[in-house]
Amino acid sequence: MRLSRSFLPVMKESPAAAEIVSHKLMLRAGLVRQTAAGIYAWLPIGLRVLTKIEQIVREEQDKAGAIEMLMPTLQSADLWRQSGRYDAYGPEMLRITDRHDREMLYGPTNEEMITSIFAGEARSYRDLPRTLYHIQWKFRDEVRPRFGVMRGREFLMKDAYSFDLDEAGARNSYYTQLLAYLRTFQRLGIQAVPMKAASGPIGGDLSHEFIVLAPTGESEVFYDAAFDEFDWAQSGLSYDNAAGLEKLFEQVSATYSATDETHDEERWTKVAEDRRRTGRGIEVGHIFYFGTKYSESMGLKVSGPEGTMVTPEMGSYGIGVSRLVGAIIEASHDDAGIIWPDAVAPWKVGLVTMRGDDPATVAAADDIYARLQAAGVEVLYDDRDERGGVKLGSMDLIGLPWQLVLGPRGLANGLVELKNRRTGEKQELIIDDAINRLT
Ligand code: ATP
Ligand code: MG
C-alpha cells in the first residue's frame, strides 16, 4: 500500500477526549473514528488489524472442530420472550420496531437464536455433539461506553455454542474451547490468563474469563507466576485426546488465578510469595457452561440412544474481537506508539524514503517495494513528499514490526537501514540482505 494513495489519517496531537493509551493511539494512528457514542467506523488500517484477529480466531475455532455460520444482527422479540430474557435483559438491549409494528432487537448475544435454529434441525443423539459459532456485530446499550472500542456499544464478537448429550460431553466441549482459547491468544501474541469467573447461572466450576494484563484494565487480578511460564497451549495436545484435555483443565484449575470478584485470600496466601502476580486486567474472552437453560426454554430435544427424549446440555464461548484491538495495544506499546505483535500487524514492513524529492532514493524505494510485494511481504510504503523525521514518527506511531529506511547517503554506498520496532535495534544492510531478512 502506498501511503500517498491510501486513507490513513494520522494525528500528531493526542486527542483530549481519549482517556486511555490504546484509545488515544487508535485515534492518532488512524484505526478508528467515532461516529456516535460507543460506535466506531473502522478505517483501512484498523480494519486490517481487526480482520487479522478475526482470521486467527476463526482458524483456531475451526481446528477445535467448531463449525462456522452467520446469524443476523437483528432478531425478533418473540424469540427472546420464549427464554424470558426479553424483559430480563433490561435497557442494554436496543429495541426496534419495524414498519408493521413488529418488535425487533439488535442482538446483544445469540443463545436464543442458535438454540432455536438447532432445535429445528437436530433429531437424535447422532446430531450431537456440535459446536457452532459465528463472528458478528453485537449491540449493547452500555450505560457508560468508554475507552474506545474496549467498551463500545456496537462491537464484534466471536460467539460459539456447544450442544451435548450429557454433562460429561458438555465438559469435554468446554475443555476443547479452553484449549482453543489458550492457543488463540498465544497466536495473537498476547498473554491472556484464564481466571475462574463468578459462577454463572448454574454454578459449578465451568466458567472462565480470559484476562489480558494492562494497567488500565477494569478489574483487579491475582495469579500464580506459573501462568507466565508454562506452555498452556500445550502445542502437541490433540483435540481428540479427551483425557489430555481434562488434565489441562485440572492444571489450569489447580493454578491460582482470580479477579477481584472471585479472589480467595486463603488460597492466595498458599501461593509462594515470590510467585504472586497482581495487576489489572481486561476481559477478552469468556467461556461458560449453562446446562439446559436455553435448550429447555427453546424446546430443543433429541432422541437419545435408548429412544427416550433428551434435552441437550449447552455452553457458550465468547471472544471480544474488536475489544482485542484495544487490549493488544494496551499490552504492547511505548511512548512513540503502537508495537504490533507480528501476527496481527496491519503490514509487516514500513518502507520509508527519507527524501521523497530525491529521484535516486525514490527509484530505489519503488524497486524494493515491487520486490517485497512480489515476494508476498505486506508493505506500507511511505512515498509521500514529507520530511523524513515526520515519516519516521508516523511509522513508530503505526507500529509495524519492521521499518526499512532509505536515504541518499546510505544508498550511495548501496546501504539501507532496517529497524526492529519492538527492540529499536537498527542495522545497515545491503539491499539484497535487507530484502532476504524480510522474506
Ligand atoms: P463485560 O463484563 O466486559 O461487560 P460481558 O461479561 O458482558 O463483558 P460477554 O457477554 O461474556 O461479556 O461477551 C463476550 C466478550 O465480548 C467479552 O469477554 C468481551 O471481550 C466482549 N465484550 C463484551 N461487552 C463488550 C463491549 N461493550 N465492547 C466491546 N467488547 C465487549
Ligand atoms: Mg457486559
Side-chain angles (χ1 to χ4, degrees), residues 386-423:
E386 262 284 2
R387 282 194 299 117
V390 170
K391 294 185 181 183
L392 293 180
S394 299
M395 274 303 170
D396 278 350
L397 174 63
I398 291 169
L400 309 181
W402 297 98
Q403 293 170 14
L404 191 57
V405 183
L406 276 63
R409 230 176 311 135
L411 282 172
N413 301 311
L415 295 174
V416 294
E417 186 185 272
L418 186 63
K419 175 176 151 183
N420 181 302
R421 173 68 180 87
R422 189 173 290 279
T423 63

Side-chain angles (χ1 to χ4, degrees), residues 22-23 26 31-32 42 45-54 149-150 156 188 190 282 284 320-332 338 340-341 344:
S22 61
H23 189 198
M26 286 183 74
L31 274 74
V32 290
W42 292 80
I45 182 169
L47 178 63
R48 285 181 75 93
V49 176
L50 189 68
T51 306
K52 288 198 172 183
I53 295 173
E54 184 183 331
V149 300
M150 208 83 92
L156 188 61
L188 291 172
I190 49 170
I282 302 163
V284 291
V321 176
S322 50
R323 177 179 287 184
L324 269 166
V325 180
I328 290 171
I329 297 172
E330 286 295 327
S332 185
I338 303 168
W340 291 114
V344 300

Side-chain angles (χ1 to χ4, degrees), residues 140 142 149-152 155 157 283-286 318-320 323:
R140 293 183 187 173
E142 301 272 355
V149 300
M150 208 83 92
R151 184 167 294 286
F155 59 96
M157 196 203 287
E283 179 194 324
V284 291
H286 189 181
I319 290 183
R323 177 179 287 184

Side-chain angles (χ1 to χ4, degrees), residues 101-115:
D101 275 336
R102 278 184 295 242
E103 289 172 281
M104 313 282 292
L105 57 102
Y106 195 125
T109 179
N110 281 70
E111 281 84 4
E112 283 80 358
M113 187 179 279
I114 188 70
T115 310

Side-chain angles (χ1 to χ4, degrees), residues 176-254:
T176 300
Q177 286 287 325
L178 174 72
L179 177 58
Y181 274 47
L182 293 169
R183 287 182 170 161
T184 301
F185 296 122
Q186 184 166 299
R187 260 187 81 187
L188 291 172
I190 49 170
Q191 192 193 7
V193 181
M195 303 198 173
K196 216 169 131 180
S199 25
I202 58 160
D205 54 350
L206 295 186
S207 180
H208 284 86
E209 293 174 346
F210 288 75
I211 308 277
V212 172
L213 300 166
T216 51
E218 286 186 326
S219 38
E220 200 175 349
V221 297
F222 309 81
Y223 70 95
D224 187 319
F227 281 103
D228 294 336
E229 295 150 14
F230 293 168
D231 173 18
W232 290 99
Q234 318 249 345
S235 38
L237 183 56
S238 155
Y239 287 111
D240 295 331
N241 180 353
L245 291 175
E246 188 172 352
K247 245 181 84 189
L248 171 68
F249 169 75
E250 278 161 12
Q251 197 183 0
V252 167
S253 302

